[in-house]
Amino acid sequence: MQTASKEVKIYRKKRLSGTDTIFYIVNTIFLIVVGCIVFFPLWYSVVCSFSSTEAIIQNRVFLWPVDFTLDSYKAVLNYDLITSGFLNSVLYAAGGTFTAVVLLLLSAYPLSRSDLPGRKIFLVFFMITMFFSGGLIPNYMLMQDLGLMNTRWALIVAFSFSCYNMVIVKSYFQTSLPQGILDAAHIDGCNDLRFFLKMALPLAKPVIAVMVLFNLVGIWNNYMNAMLYTSKPDMYPLQLVLRDILFVAQMPAEMKANMDPNKTTSMQDLLQQLRYAVLVVGALPMMIVYPFVQKFFIKGMMIGSLKE
């Protein structure tokens, strides 16, 4: 042990070659530049959210807030649709993620078992859905026939299952749960349900965290389903509310002429005051959640990278 520790210390003290030094310097500079490019839009949104409307219109905002104010966040709290949209997004993201993860686990684990009767038939059935889809109009007709139009279930339950994610979870179960563990559990008198709850789920924490993050971000940023299957403003998620505000500001003059002038002017003023604050409010929950699942996310993303 002492010899190994000495070798490690010697290796750490060993100077890098000139080529390696150049590589590390160039790589560090490149990553810093890329990091700044990625971080700047978020920082600019935060800075603008604390700046006055006049400073934003006059393009006087760059790296620091100009005429610091909290008016935009006060307007966010006072605008009913944004408040209700934020609460709806939280409900849809939490409910949809929970539904998606439960369905993934209940489908992936049985398909990972080689002793499942008709396993290949079920796999083919699931795989077909990855390559063929009914399309937008059949899905819309299906939602109508199921009575899910203008209901919250359309944004929580519908389209919550992903066959691609199911394949990832199935592969994780196959690599992390060898057949020997299952045989030993059966010898000790453990049934399949207890093995799934006591053994499979605790070992699947990394992939569960990855699926939670994938579904949470996807549902949180999605507004297409809400735009198609709901027409009640009090059911709009935050992203659809923001989309409507941006649409009014960017619509052609011909379309604005057909709208109420007072409404159009108020929406444009509201856009300048709210869009950056809403962007910050919309991104903040995901930024808070990510650090808690980062270690599981990194481990889970390595699924399938090593072959036995």
Side-chain angles (χ1 to χ4, degrees):
M1 294 295 294
Q2 294 180 353
T3 303
S5 61
K6 290 181 180 180
E7 292 178 355
V8 170
K9 291 181 180 179
I10 294 174
Y11 176 78
R12 289 178 177 176
K13 293 181 179 179
K14 184 179 178 181
R15 292 184 177 181
L16 296 174
S17 63
T19 305
D20 291 337
T21 302
I22 296 174
F23 170 78
Y24 282 119
I25 293 174
V26 173
N27 190 40
T28 301
I29 295 174
F30 174 75
L31 291 177
I32 291 174
V33 173
V34 172
C36 292
I37 294 174
V38 173
F39 180 72
F40 178 74
L42 178 60
W43 175 251
Y44 182 76
S45 299
V46 174
V47 169
C48 288
S49 68
F50 289 106
S51 301
S52 64
T53 304
E54 293 77 10
I56 297 174
I57 296 175
Q58 297 172 5
N59 294 324
R60 293 190 289 117
V61 181
F62 185 60
L63 292 177
W64 306 105
V66 178
D67 300 333
F68 183 87
T69 179
L70 296 176
D71 290 343
S72 59
Y73 291 98
K74 293 178 181 178
V76 167
L77 297 177
N78 293 328
Y79 190 49
D80 294 336
L81 281 182
I82 291 181
T83 303
S84 64
F86 179 82
L87 296 177
N88 287 333
S89 292
V90 172
L91 175 63
Y92 300 149
T97 300
F98 176 79
T99 303
V101 172
V102 170
L103 292 177
L104 287 174
L105 293 174
L106 293 180
S107 59
Y109 174 71
L111 291 174
S112 68
R113 295 274 297 270
S114 59
D115 57 345
L116 175 68
R119 176 172 174 266
K120 293 184 178 180
I121 297 176
F122 288 117
L123 282 175
V124 172
F125 175 79
F126 280 107
M127 295 298 292
I128 288 176
T129 63
M130 291 182 61
F131 303 101
F132 301 97
S133 174
L136 182 61
I137 296 177
N139 285 334
Y140 186 87
M141 296 172 62
L142 177 63
M143 299 293 283
Q144 281 186 323
D145 294 338
L146 294 176
L148 296 179
M149 295 295 295
N150 287 320
T151 64
R152 299 188 187 277
W153 295 111
L155 305 179
I156 296 177
V157 177
F159 311 106
S160 60
F161 182 81
S162 171
C163 186
Y164 177 80
N165 291 339
M166 186 274 294
V167 173
I168 294 178
V169 179
K170 181 183 74 70
S171 301
Y172 186 88
F173 278 127
Q174 289 177 329
T175 56
S176 62
L177 291 175
Q179 185 64 31
I181 297 179
L182 179 62
D183 294 338
H186 284 168
I187 293 174
D188 292 337
C190 179
N191 57 31
D192 290 330
L193 179 60
R194 187 174 182 182
F195 180 82
F196 174 71
L197 296 176
K198 299 294 184 179
M199 296 288 293
L201 291 184
L203 292 175
K205 287 182 180 179
V207 73
I208 292 175
V210 173
M211 293 300 108
V212 167
L213 187 62
F214 279 178
N215 286 278
L216 198 63
V217 174
I219 297 174
W220 183 267
N221 293 327
N222 183 28
Y223 70 90
M224 189 66 181
N225 290 340
M227 186 171 61
L228 291 174
Y229 305 123
T230 62
S231 59
K232 298 179 180 179
D234 60 338
M235 295 177 56
Y236 286 175
L238 179 63
Q239 288 69 25
L240 188 56
V241 175
L242 178 60
R243 182 256 179 196
D244 288 344
I245 297 175
L246 294 173
F247 178 75
V248 171
Q250 297 175 359
M251 68 171 55
E254 294 80 5
M255 295 181 63
K256 292 181 181 180
N258 297 326
M259 294 183 61
D260 184 1
N262 295 329
K263 182 179 179 181
T264 304
T265 303
S266 62
M267 289 291 286
Q268 288 178 322
D269 294 339
L270 183 66
L271 170 67
Q272 295 296 337
Q273 191 175 18
L274 296 185
R275 59 179 177 179
Y276 293 109
V278 171
L279 289 175
V280 174
V281 172
L284 187 61
M286 297 300 102
M287 296 174 64
I288 295 175
V289 170
Y290 182 76
F292 294 98
V293 297
Q294 181 180 10
K295 61 177 181 179
F296 298 108
F297 179 77
I298 295 174
K299 183 178 180 181
M301 287 300 293
M302 298 300 294
I303 298 171
S305 61
L306 297 177
K307 302 292 184 181
E308 294 184 357

